[in-house]
Amino acid sequence: MTRTAEAPPRSFIDEVKDAVTPRATLLVIGVVALQLLFIASYVGALHHPKPKDVAFGVVAPGTAAEQTTARLEQLPGKPLDPRTLADEATAREQIANRDIDGALLIDPHGTTDTLLIASGGGKTLSNALASLTTELEKKEGRTVRTVDVMPADAQDANGLTPFYLVVGWCVGGYLCASALAISAGARPADPRRAVIRLAAMALVAIAGGLGGAVIVGPVLGALPGSVAALWGLGALITFAVGAATLALQCVFGIVGIGVAVLLVVILGNPSAGGALPPPMLPPFWKTIGPALPPGAGTWAARSIAYFKGNDVTVSLLVLSAWAAAGTIITLAAGSRRRQAQPGTL
């Protein structure tokens, strides 16, 4: 019998070369890059909170209002952006409309002034305004009494429930979109498959939006506000993130998942105004936050829960733009792929 020569034993290096393909290497490098960006973004945004240009009202008689406003404008680091208001009713109205974050009412007949805050917009900011005002008043030989005109719910620890709710909706959006795309390849084969994925995403968004609103409202009692309004917001957030993720996967393939994580998790979450309200974020994160789904969603959720639904138009338009852009790009990419491969189902 003729004996077949045995293949020489393979070295460990040869095994590694076969296992670690160029594509796998690039994906690993991408994961490491996302990891480092995650650390840089979260620590960069949250490690040193301080108020900056906080919209702040001053109510005082005569020239005292202008003098107080001028003094606040000259504070080191510009923590406040003060403006003179006519009376307490105007201050309360502007806080409720989210035009300002607080107001100082000067008592011309005594030494105790009143600070109006809204912890529903973020307890970190409210506490910072109280500390800053107390310190300033002490230097003037005065005291301050704090009145929370839009308080966070007692069950909403640190005022973070709206943020966590929005994060959950965002996570559901990009995870569901990723699962839909990866289950049959990272790129849609034709318009029919793209429509199916978007329709499935819409159903998930409706279910997830309702589930989140019910959990934080009737089930846990962690957040006040209209369940129907929060349901609609949750469905929009989930679909916007999901459609955007599908679009990114259409354009970049599986790398699109990483791009979605970059936009929503790495850049979106720390800039959302959850842990730190926008006036306490560094300039970069303060600027990008309102344009990303977590930031737009957190602002709208707080408005629904604590500010009677005021000032949500811009946030809803931002979320709608993400949903529309994701839908259009996904459908367009499916049509283009169908044209390139007319026989593909």
Side-chain angles (χ1 to χ4, degrees):
M1 294 180 60
T2 303
R3 299 183 61 184
T4 304
E6 294 183 359
R10 293 169 57 82
S11 67
F12 175 75
I13 294 178
D14 291 332
E15 296 288 350
V16 170
K17 287 180 179 179
D18 288 343
V20 183
T21 64
R23 183 169 181 269
T25 301
L26 290 175
L27 289 175
V28 170
I29 292 174
V31 169
V32 173
L34 288 176
Q35 178 189 50
L36 298 180
L37 287 171
F38 183 99
I39 295 170
S41 183
Y42 278 69
V43 176
L46 307 177
H47 78 290
H48 185 47
K50 58 181 179 179
K52 176 72 173 177
D53 292 327
V54 180
F56 192 76
V58 175
V59 177
T63 59
E66 296 180 358
Q67 293 172 352
T68 303
T69 300
R71 179 163 57 93
L72 296 179
E73 286 177 340
Q74 297 172 1
L75 291 175
K78 295 199 66 178
L80 302 177
D81 178 17
R83 68 283 312 267
T84 301
L85 302 179
D87 49 36
E88 180 179 349
T90 301
R92 287 176 174 269
E93 181 182 5
Q94 290 201 13
I95 291 174
N97 291 335
R98 308 200 74 178
D99 296 324
I100 60 175
D101 297 297
L104 181 63
L105 313 179
I106 305 295
D107 182 1
H109 306 296
T111 59
T112 299
D113 299 325
T114 301
L115 172 68
L116 304 181
I117 58 172
S119 62
K123 289 188 176 180
T124 305
L125 177 58
S126 296
N127 292 338
L129 288 178
S131 298
L132 176 63
T133 306
T134 299
E135 182 180 350
L136 293 174
E137 293 281 275
K138 185 177 181 180
K139 292 179 180 179
E140 299 292 323
R142 303 178 67 85
T143 58
V144 63
R145 144 182 106 89
T146 301
V147 177
D148 197 344
V149 297
M150 293 288 174
D153 192 84
Q155 300 299 317
D156 181 11
N158 298 316
L160 291 176
T161 298
F163 172 61
Y164 293 143
L165 176 62
V166 170
V167 168
W169 282 329
C170 289
V171 168
Y174 69 73
L175 286 183
C176 179
S178 300
L180 287 170
I182 292 175
S183 65
R187 297 175 186 270
D190 56 25
R192 183 179 70 85
R193 182 171 290 170
V195 169
I196 291 173
R197 291 176 180 177
L198 288 168
M201 193 68 248
L203 293 175
V204 170
I206 292 171
L210 176 60
V214 170
I215 288 172
V216 301
V219 175
L220 297 179
L223 197 67
S226 166
V227 172
L230 288 173
W231 177 11
L233 176 65
L236 178 57
I237 292 171
T238 305
F239 183 79
V241 173
T245 303
L246 288 173
L248 290 168
Q249 290 169 335
C250 290
V251 175
F252 299 109
I254 194 172
V255 176
I257 298 175
V259 178
V261 171
L262 173 66
L263 292 173
V264 177
V265 179
I266 294 176
L267 293 177
N269 286 352
S271 66
L276 295 179
M280 300 194 72
L281 290 171
F284 172 75
W285 287 269
K286 180 180 179 180
T287 300
I288 67 171
L292 297 173
T298 299
W299 182 273
R302 278 184 170 149
S303 290
I304 291 170
Y306 296 121
F307 295 89
K308 303 178 182 179
N310 293 328
D311 197 20
V312 298
T313 302
V314 173
S315 296
L316 295 180
L317 288 174
V318 168
L319 293 168
S320 298
W322 277 86
T327 299
I328 291 170
I329 293 173
T330 300
L331 294 174
S335 298
R336 185 174 300 176
R337 188 162 178 82
R338 175 62 179 270
Q339 294 170 3
Q341 299 178 349
T344 303
L345 294 178

